[in-house]
Amino acid sequence: MEIKIFDTQEQLDSSAADIFVNLVNQKPNAVLGLATGSTPIGIYENLVNRFKQNKVSFKAASTFNLDEYVGLPPESDQSYAYYMHKHLFSHIDLPAAQIHLLNGMADDAEAECSRFETLLAKHPLDIQLLGLGHNGHIAFNEPNDQLSSRTHVIKLKEETINANARFFASADEVPTHAMTMGIGSILKANKILLVVRGADKAEIVKKALTGPITTQVPASLLQAHAGVTVLLDREAGRMLG
Ligand code: GLP
């Protein structure tokens, strides 16, 4: 596991964007696993700028997003589909047919997860971008005695609903369920890029990267993957020795 700590957010975002740009320039049809949340916004801004400067093209690339809330349509500005279009897809040359998102409005959420997992199996991820939840979740794989390997529906923990309430009018409006890639779907990616910022995540960063591997800290399972790069700001990395 390679861990890099940055003094500024600009450096961190630019370094993460470099990894994506270099990959896509080397392998134009790369399959990119993408994430949402506040952490990747600056990385997407960087990617959009590189595209506008003709330093990269996403014409042949394809993307898979980690997760989506159950019950939110893509037009809802709280949905992850909306977020991805707003921050990345609408600004670059990635063809719509090569964007893979979970449909939060699917009548049969379990069938939607299977559809997604089947597509993922056909398009192995070259890289998966991840943020980290305060409770150690990655995507929406919440701490539990057992974790699901493949894409599945999950009931969100109260702490996750509260953490994500800042994006909604109130905690009552945060959906109670989500669809998420499973830990196995994520660990199949050739490379994993975990990006974490902020003092409030320092403790969980330490547990996830240096603590025992446990389903109670889903991100700790990343320790078992040979191709993980972790990008941290000073605050998030301050408890690492
Ligand atoms: C959400 C997402 C995760 C994300 C996490 C942290 O729950 N499902 O994929 O990593 O929040 O988000 P943030 O970057 O806003 O702290």
Side-chain angles (χ1 to χ4, degrees), residues 216-228:
Q216 297 299 343
V217 181
S220 68
L221 276 90
L222 297 174
Q223 294 179 39
H225 191 288
V228 177

Side-chain angles (χ1 to χ4, degrees), residues 86-107:
K86 177 177 168 195
H87 293 291
L88 185 66
F89 297 153
S90 63
H91 309 286
I92 60 174
D93 61 346
L94 176 70
Q98 288 151 222
I99 294 171
H100 303 99
L101 295 163
L102 282 154
N103 173 10
M105 295 302 282
D107 289 338

Side-chain angles (χ1 to χ4, degrees), residues 3-236:
I3 302 176
K4 294 182 185 171
I5 299 183
F6 296 87
D7 287 325
T8 69
Q9 190 183 324
E10 290 69 30
Q11 287 167 353
L12 189 159
D13 290 340
S14 167
S15 172
D18 284 346
I19 293 172
F20 277 89
V21 168
N22 292 340
L23 170 65
V24 175
N25 283 338
Q26 269 166 29
K27 184 178 178 188
N29 65 345
V31 184
L32 312 175
L34 301 178
T36 50
S38 48
T39 308
I41 291 177
I43 301 172
Y44 296 144
E45 254 172 44
N46 259 269
L47 289 179
V48 170
N49 288 337
R50 313 277 180 106
F51 167 70
K52 287 185 176 157
Q53 294 158 5
N54 287 322
K55 291 188 174 145
V56 65
S57 165
F58 297 93
K59 248 185 201 148
S62 51
T63 63
F64 282 83
N65 259 83
L66 283 171
D67 46 14
E68 181 58 283
Y69 290 112
V70 169
L72 291 190
E75 312 78 66
S76 157
D77 58 4
Q78 321 296 351
S79 76
Y80 287 167
Y82 185 96
Y83 168 111
M84 288 309 303
H85 285 281
K86 177 177 168 195
H87 293 291
L88 185 66
F89 297 153
S90 63
H91 309 286
I92 60 174
D93 61 346
L94 176 70
Q98 288 151 222
I99 294 171
H100 303 99
L101 295 163
L102 282 154
N103 173 10
M105 295 302 282
D107 289 338
D108 182 343
E110 298 290 350
E112 173 61 4
C113 292
S114 305
R115 176 192 73 83
F116 196 79
E117 192 66 37
T118 305
L119 274 171
L120 261 178
K122 282 191 201 145
H123 304 275
L125 296 166
D126 289 293
I127 190 166
Q128 177 63 57
L129 176 63
L130 294 176
L132 180 65
H134 290 96
N135 62 4
H137 75 219
I138 44 176
F140 270 133
N141 292 281
E142 297 279 39
N144 219 323
D145 291 343
Q146 295 178 329
L147 297 176
S148 296
S149 177
R150 302 296 167 222
T151 307
H152 60 286
V153 178
I154 190 150
K155 185 172 169 17
L156 299 177
K157 296 248 174 187
E158 206 178 320
E159 63 250 35
T160 298
I161 291 180
N162 292 333
N164 289 356
R166 65 201 148 108
F167 299 113
F168 292 79
S170 72
D172 294 346
E173 289 186 22
V174 184
T176 54
H177 291 76
M179 286 178 253
T180 180
M181 275 190 210
I183 293 289
S185 332
I186 293 169
L187 290 177
K188 275 205 292 185
N190 186 39
K191 285 204 154 100
I192 293 179
L193 184 61
L194 175 70
V195 181
V196 194
R197 292 199 325 241
D200 52 328
K201 299 223 176 124
E203 205 172 324
I204 194 66
V205 162
K206 184 170 189 220
K207 271 192 193 162
L209 304 187
T210 66
I213 294 178
T214 162
T215 58
Q216 297 299 343
V217 181
S220 68
L221 276 90
L222 297 174
Q223 294 179 39
H225 191 288
V228 177
T229 300
V230 185
L231 306 185
L232 305 171
D233 67 3
R234 284 260 162 244
E235 290 73 30

